[in-house]
Amino acid sequence: MSRLPCFFYYFYNYLYRMGVPLLPKLLCYINRIIFGAYIPASAKIGKGVRFSYGGAAVVVHSRAVIGNNCTIGPAVTIGRRKGEGAPVIEDNVFLAGGVKILGEIVIGEGSIVAANSVVIKGVPKNSVVAGIPAKIVRTDIDRKDYITW
């Protein structure tokens, strides 16, 4: 798991919040070139977030909110649908590779989204969702039963 794209993001997000012009946007593009992850300075990302494979092909909407200790796989898109707001990912969520989360929805705390799922409806906490569109596979899970690290 790589935390480098996040550490880089935390730096330019700090500059963005302090009102520094232009530099946060430039650093965002450098993050995209080095790690392949597009994480705008205006997105809100909590502590302990990890990107698998250095954040390869990850795209985060500028108004998205990602909670603490989340794990995000490669090629994940966290975006919005036309006319809607951005998603909110709560704490301790695992997003497997290729996941698309679209629209003004909430992914509940401790949930797991299976690989290549397309999530367009909210997910309750401690649930497993899978499919296109994603459906709830299991609820009231213990994340430790599924994720070993």
Side-chain angles (χ1 to χ4, degrees):
M1 295 294 146
S2 178
R3 294 190 181 180
L4 289 176
C6 268
F7 289 140
F8 205 67
Y9 156 82
Y10 294 139
F11 175 65
Y12 64 78
N13 174 262
Y14 172 77
L15 296 174
Y16 172 80
R17 288 183 287 119
M18 294 299 115
V20 175
L22 195 61
L23 187 57
K25 191 168 196 136
L26 176 66
L27 293 172
C28 174
Y29 286 118
I30 291 171
N31 197 14
R32 188 173 184 183
I33 291 167
I34 294 172
F35 300 107
Y38 179 69
I39 310 168
S42 56
K44 294 181 175 103
I45 299 179
K47 295 181 178 171
V49 173
R50 290 175 275 184
F51 289 93
S52 299
Y53 300 98
V58 170
V59 177
V60 178
H61 189 274
S62 62
R63 291 187 299 203
V65 177
I66 301 173
N68 298 321
N69 303 312
C70 292
T71 302
I72 300 173
V76 169
T77 299
I78 301 170
R80 60 178 241 175
R81 295 192 299 185
K82 188 174 183 178
E84 293 186 19
V88 174
I89 316 288
E90 293 184 345
D91 298 341
N92 303 308
V93 170
F94 179 83
L95 304 176
V99 168
K100 309 299 180 239
I101 299 175
L102 305 171
E104 192 170 351
I105 60 174
V106 175
I107 307 297
E109 180 178 349
S111 293
I112 297 171
V113 181
N116 295 316
S117 297
V118 177
V119 185
I120 55 174
K121 292 182 182 175
V123 175
K125 71 181 212 169
N126 299 320
S127 299
V128 176
V129 296
I132 303 173
K135 292 180 175 49
I136 298 171
V137 175
R138 192 161 281 150
T139 58
D140 295 325
I141 64 159
D142 184 1
R143 186 173 185 252
K144 295 173 186 166
D145 293 338
Y146 294 87
I147 310 298
T148 58
W149 60 85

